[in-house]
Amino acid sequence: MDGRLLAEMSVLAAVVETGSFTRAAEVLGLSASGVSRSVARLEAKIGVRLLERTTRALRLTGEGTRLYELAAPHLSGIEEAADAVAGAAAQVRGVLRVSLNPLFVRYVLAPRLPEFLARHPELEIRMVPVPDAADLVAEGVDVAVRFGPQPASSMSSRLLLNTRVLTVAAPAYLKRHGRPRVPQDLAGHECLQYINPQDGRVFDWEFHRGKEVLAVETRGRLTLTDGDALVRACVAGAGVAQMLALGFESLITGGALVDLFPDWPDERFPLYAIRPSRRLPPAAVEAFLDFCTEICRGHA
């Protein structure tokens, strides 16, 4: 149980949390071959295989998973203690890999990004396209921002805001088909369907008023996977849509869309920031999370 074992455990944790030998090497300041040799020495020392290696991915074995889960909290505690003493936890620098919901980027984050970068001149942000259902650890993502309830996992999540769900249609559509007076009237209307990126299923239509929840079965010939496309089709008069208020309030105030059921105002949809790893890199991740929380207050 010497210092080399601690170093090799730290290398294994970096491989798991970044998803590859190459990215772990970048974080640790080593070569990819050096990282591979360190993991091999650890496996030889313990006497079990810890990682399954293929040309496309790395996976922990059962023994590797147990070792990582037992060791990671202790490694994190050692790093946090060292950071607290050395002041490294206050240094926001390096490369932060983020996977962000496009609506959040376009309407909330992008207008404020210059402010964030000005605060942290030594930090570089790389936005990476990662599907909602992807493994963030395997993709090497430091922070993700996602809409919708998040499944239970070892990752930590922070609620950024709850935005209202609106049921809307264009004036041109209403002129042709008439305005539904109650949600149940939607059974006779062309309703644009939207697929949940988390599970690939079409969203159910619900209406909330206080504690009252009304589920309505809807149908439509157009099913979409892109939020912007849904809004554009709705504005063009293709049908009735349910969409998030975030970023699109101006379409209603400007008359491009009509809020059909303002008397059902209480359905909300959450936006979360997800942090796959508590260890890499702590200062930059915390700074970004705090900034997201700050800018979302004005949209809550």
Side-chain angles (χ1 to χ4, degrees), residues 186-245:
L186 292 174
H189 282 264
E190 184 74 22
C191 296
L192 308 181
Q193 306 298 314
Y194 185 66
I195 292 179
N196 185 343
Q198 289 183 346
D199 58 19
R201 298 175 54 195
V202 173
F203 274 107
D204 295 326
W205 289 47
E206 290 185 350
F207 299 85
H208 295 228
R209 182 166 55 194
K211 295 183 179 180
E212 185 180 3
V213 178
L214 175 65
V216 175
E217 185 175 349
T218 63
R219 295 180 180 179
R221 293 175 295 158
L222 186 57
T223 301
L224 303 104
T225 59
D226 180 85
D228 270 339
L230 176 77
V231 174
R232 290 176 182 272
C234 188
V235 171
V240 180
Q242 282 200 326
M243 54 180 258
L244 302 179

Side-chain angles (χ1 to χ4, degrees), residues 16-288:
V16 173
E17 293 171 356
T18 61
S20 77
F21 286 161
T22 300
R23 285 195 287 266
E26 292 173 354
V27 169
L28 297 172
L30 302 173
S31 66
S33 60
V35 169
S36 180
R37 287 194 299 270
S38 180
V39 172
R41 285 195 299 270
L42 179 61
E43 289 176 325
K45 187 174 298 183
I46 296 177
V48 297
R49 190 168 183 82
L50 302 174
L51 289 170
E52 294 289 352
R53 305 164 177 84
T54 70
T55 56
R56 300 184 63 183
L58 294 173
R59 293 181 183 274
L60 283 171
T61 63
E63 294 83 1
T65 298
R66 177 161 174 75
L67 177 64
Y68 174 75
E69 290 177 346
L70 290 172
H74 301 286
L75 294 173
S76 179
I78 293 171
E79 182 173 353
E80 289 172 4
D83 284 344
V85 173
Q91 298 176 358
V92 180
R93 62 187 181 188
V95 177
L96 189 68
R97 289 171 55 86
V98 296
S99 172
L100 307 175
N101 176 272
L103 294 180
F104 170 73
V105 174
R106 188 173 297 116
Y107 298 107
V108 180
L109 180 63
R112 302 286 298 274
L113 268 178
E115 177 183 345
F116 180 71
L117 294 175
R119 290 184 191 180
H120 307 291
E122 295 184 65
L123 181 65
E124 178 184 342
I125 294 179
R126 293 182 186 172
M127 296 187 189
V128 293
V130 177
D132 282 11
D135 185 338
L136 298 180
V137 174
E139 296 292 339
V141 173
D142 299 308
V143 181
V145 175
R146 298 281 187 265
F147 275 108
Q150 297 303 305
S153 71
S154 59
M155 296 185 291
S156 63
S157 59
R158 180 187 298 186
L159 179 65
L160 296 177
L161 58 82
N162 275 300
T163 187
R164 186 184 167 203
V165 178
L166 303 171
T167 304
V168 297
Y173 174 87
L174 298 177
K175 185 176 180 179
R176 293 195 308 270
H177 300 280
R179 176 170 178 166
R181 298 302 174 185
V182 294
Q184 294 89 331
D185 291 345
L186 292 174
H189 282 264
E190 184 74 22
C191 296
L192 308 181
Q193 306 298 314
Y194 185 66
I195 292 179
N196 185 343
Q198 289 183 346
D199 58 19
R201 298 175 54 195
V202 173
F203 274 107
D204 295 326
W205 289 47
E206 290 185 350
F207 299 85
H208 295 228
R209 182 166 55 194
K211 295 183 179 180
E212 185 180 3
V213 178
L214 175 65
V216 175
E217 185 175 349
T218 63
R219 295 180 180 179
R221 293 175 295 158
L222 186 57
T223 301
L224 303 104
T225 59
D226 180 85
D228 270 339
L230 176 77
V231 174
R232 290 176 182 272
C234 188
V235 171
V240 180
Q242 282 200 326
M243 54 180 258
L244 302 179
L246 181 68
F248 298 113
E249 300 94 334
S250 61
L251 294 177
I252 294 176
T253 58
L257 292 173
V258 177
D259 183 2
L260 298 179
F261 305 111
D263 54 334
W264 290 85
D266 296 324
E267 185 180 5
R268 297 289 192 273
F269 206 59
L271 179 70
Y272 285 96
I274 303 105
R275 180 178 179 179
S277 167
R278 289 187 173 277
R279 298 185 59 247
L280 301 171
V285 169
E286 285 302 320
F288 187 77

